Amino acid sequence: MTTLHIAGEWRAAASGETREITCPADRSVVVTVDEGGVADALEAVRAARRAFDEGPWPSTPTPERAALLTRIADRLERELEDVARLEALDTGKRMVEARLDMQDIVAVFRHFASLAQAEAGRVIDAGMPDISSRVVTEPVGVCALITPWNFPLLQTAWKVAPALAAGNTFVLKPSELTPQTAIWLVRALTEEGLPAGVANLVLGPGATVGAAMTSAPEVDLVSFTGGLETGRTIMAAAAGTVKKIALELGGKNPNIIFADADLDAAIDNALTAIFLDSGQVCSAGSRLVVEESIHDQVVDELVRRAPAIRMGGPFDESAETGPLISDGHRDKVEAHVAAAVAEGAVLRCGGERPGGALSKGSYYPPTILDGCTSDMTCVQEESFGPVLTVETFSGETRDAAEDAAIAIANDTIYGLTGAVWTQDAGRAERMARRLRHGTVWINDFHPYVPAAEWGGMKQSGIGRELGTAGLHEYQETKHIWHNTRPARAGWFHDPQG
Ligand code: NAD
């Protein structure tokens, strides 16, 4: 079965190369896919350009476009178990998490199907009886969609659903490590009636396929989710032809616990905040910022519970979290922890690869680094693994404590998410407004809804996904001025009178 999809055809890579995809839980080969290159990427971009310029998708009535998105949601519901299995095998994540991801994806397709139909242009009252003035939205054009490996189909759905709802064509490049659900989605789209050339899929490395997509002049918009360094490279590549860009990058997200919080809930959620999906979550609460007076109580409890978190593969029903995505990624996480300890962080638990049956996969245990300060690399850079840093704050007055917590929480180049735990409603509101992060949770961590925007401040990104802004990313806005009683402008004199 060939796995690149270009101009309505499934095909192999021009080079004939293939890649084996392995499951990080036990390094078994789960599938072999075609490994695209620059030639495939450029051909896919040209196909998407033709499909946009020649139609019919951009001018397909919105209800028909919305109906297609609804059919994808319905189909995913029917095939949920199979698609979750593909995702679990590629990522190593537990089936229970993969199923939840699929349910989220169904909701994302339904959200954009209904939003597309609810969106209307605007009539402007120009105040002149002969002038009709209105603002309409149109698709941006050809979109290059580049996605990471941690939530492969979910991150893809956040882009594909609004791109199609708005009438665009696209080339999708999923992470080279986790391509199976992207293949499923493009197959589903074509089988549900999407015209040829609208959805193109090129698998392969970022440095070749991704780079070709981001610099190709035929591309109008690049929407990227991934790491900060890649985001910087993409921004520079897109500058050559002034493409629109939407970037969802990393995070180093503070989880602030005040002494007046419901500590039982705060501590339990602090574990989920960082150790869910082994910390491979852009919004993970990787920085615990705890009031000094409760530091020992909170951290001792975390250190008691974290080592008990059970690790295991996708089909191990007793497992509570899975492996890291690859051995290479585990090496990076390990080096990050070693550097933290060298910088003076106190390793309270974890930090050592597990042996026994788990040595078959890329496992790394929940790790807690105490005694951290904002100037440490482990606090400033993403580990993107199950590594929690602990910083403390204190203040003699209520305001001083809040100022101290905010100073630490905002002392980062990132600004994706943050949380505050307190039972003081006024404090909660003040903190929420002062945190420079795109999502703020009060007495909670992690939930999101497709109707609310998602994205980062500062170097966590540009633009927003989901919500209504997530559709607008894929739309151009046009003002149409119609003079119903044309007349001479009379600006320049006419030498003939
Ligand atoms: P990555 O940046 O290494 O790769 C992401 C994608 O970009 C992959 O498809 C990769 O092949 C491609 N790519 C790599 N180099 C490229 C280049 N030069 N040009 C074009 N494309 C290129 O990221 P990753 O390791 O796959 O994912 C982890 C990162 O993603 C973390 O930093 C995480 O915080 C971030 N992330 C952010 C969000 C969010 O919503 N903000 C969500 C998930 C992941």
Side-chain angles (χ1 to χ4, degrees), residues 372-396:
C372 296
T373 48
S374 295
D375 55 343
M376 290 181 175
T377 313
C378 59
V379 171
Q380 291 299 333
E381 289 182 4
E382 261 191 326
S383 305
F384 219 58
V387 181
L388 179 68
T389 62
V390 182
E391 296 161 84
T392 50
F393 67 92
S394 61
E396 290 196 351

Side-chain angles (χ1 to χ4, degrees), residues 64-84:
E64 282 179 40
R65 295 206 294 253
L68 180 102
L69 298 188
T70 303
R71 290 201 296 282
I72 294 298
D74 295 344
R75 185 173 177 143
L76 183 52
E77 273 179 336
R78 286 195 307 274
E79 298 180 16
L80 193 141
E81 197 62 19
D82 293 342
V83 190

Side-chain angles (χ1 to χ4, degrees), residues 22 24 58 99 118 147 167 215 295 310 316 339 348 406 410 421 432 457:
T22 54
R99 286 187 197 108
T147 52
S215 54
H295 166 275
R310 290 190 294 266
D316 175 349
R348 294 283 307 270
I406 284 291
N410 285 344
W421 292 84
M457 297 186 183

Side-chain angles (χ1 to χ4, degrees), residues 142-497:
V142 175
C143 304
L145 310 179
I146 302 177
T147 52
W149 45 258
N150 55 341
F151 292 91
L153 191 57
L154 185 62
Q155 300 297 340
T156 300
W158 288 17
K159 301 182 191 309
V160 165
L164 291 178
N168 297 282
T169 63
F170 67 80
V171 180
L172 168 64
K173 194 208 88 62
S175 164
E176 49 275 47
L177 302 177
T178 54
Q180 291 204 83
T181 48
I183 299 169
W184 175 88
L185 177 61
V186 172
R187 200 172 291 284
L189 286 167
T190 56
E191 288 177 7
E192 294 296 339
L194 191 68
V198 176
N200 301 276
L201 174 69
V202 183
L203 311 179
T208 51
V209 174
M213 287 162 62
T214 51
S215 54
E218 296 91 343
V219 169
D220 299 292
L221 171 134
V222 180
S223 177
F224 167 76
T225 301
L228 175 58
E229 273 313 316
T230 316
R232 288 184 178 132
T233 306
I234 286 176
M235 207 168 164
T241 48
V242 194
K243 296 183 196 338
K244 298 188 184 322
I245 48 173
L247 302 177
E248 291 289 345
L249 308 177
K252 199 71 198 181
N253 312 297
N255 185 19
I256 305 168
I257 306 183
F258 281 96
D260 62 14
D262 172 341
L263 287 188
D264 185 52
I267 292 170
D268 190 65
N269 278 275
L271 291 169
T272 327
I274 178 60
F275 298 130
L276 180 83
D277 210 7
S278 292
Q280 301 173 110
V281 182
C282 54
S283 52
S286 51
R287 295 176 69 194
L288 183 68
V289 181
V290 61
E291 195 158 4
E292 198 170 35
S293 59
I294 53 163
H295 166 275
D296 292 356
Q297 185 186 352
V298 171
V299 179
D300 288 352
E301 185 63 3
L302 292 174
V303 169
R304 181 182 74 79
R305 290 194 51 194
I309 294 174
R310 290 190 294 266
M311 293 182 278
F315 310 106
D316 175 349
E317 300 220 328
S318 69
E320 297 171 297
T321 191
L324 299 186
I325 189 68
S326 65
D327 288 349
H329 185 52
R330 181 173 60 178
D331 291 346
K332 282 192 207 152
V333 173
E334 221 166 29
H336 215 239
V337 171
V341 171
E343 269 183 308
V346 181
L347 180 66
R348 294 283 307 270
C349 66
E352 240 179 73
R353 300 174 181 202
L358 293 178
S359 58
K360 273 199 303 185
S362 310
Y363 290 94
Y364 193 80
T367 297
I368 298 180
L369 296 167
D370 202 357
C372 296
T373 48
S374 295
D375 55 343
M376 290 181 175
T377 313
C378 59
V379 171
Q380 291 299 333
E381 289 182 4
E382 261 191 326
S383 305
F384 219 58
V387 181
L388 179 68
T389 62
V390 182
E391 296 161 84
T392 50
F393 67 92
S394 61
E396 290 196 351
T397 62
R398 186 194 64 189
D399 287 356
E402 291 174 16
D403 290 348
I406 284 291
I408 293 175
N410 285 344
D411 185 7
T412 162
I413 59 168
Y414 292 110
L416 190 58
T417 69
V420 56
W421 292 84
T422 172
Q423 296 188 81
D424 176 337
R427 163 172 275 173
E429 287 302 320
R430 285 191 296 280
M431 294 294 290
R433 294 307 295 256
R434 293 178 71 189
L435 282 166
R436 295 283 298 159
H437 299 268
T439 294
V440 173
W441 291 288
I442 299 170
N443 296 331
D444 214 333
F445 210 105
H446 277 318
Y448 82 98
V449 283
E453 275 75 4
W454 177 271
M457 297 186 183
K458 300 198 272 182
Q459 294 188 41
S460 283
I462 297 178
R464 290 292 179 271
E465 298 199 285
L466 303 178
T468 49
L471 179 63
H472 295 156
E473 292 281 358
Y474 294 89
Q475 292 174 321
E476 287 283 12
T477 301
K478 181 183 281 177
H479 175 213
I480 300 177
W481 171 282
H482 182 181
N483 190 337
T484 60
R485 192 187 290 272
R488 297 185 74 160
W491 185 267
F492 297 111
H493 83 282
D494 182 344
Q496 289 187 341

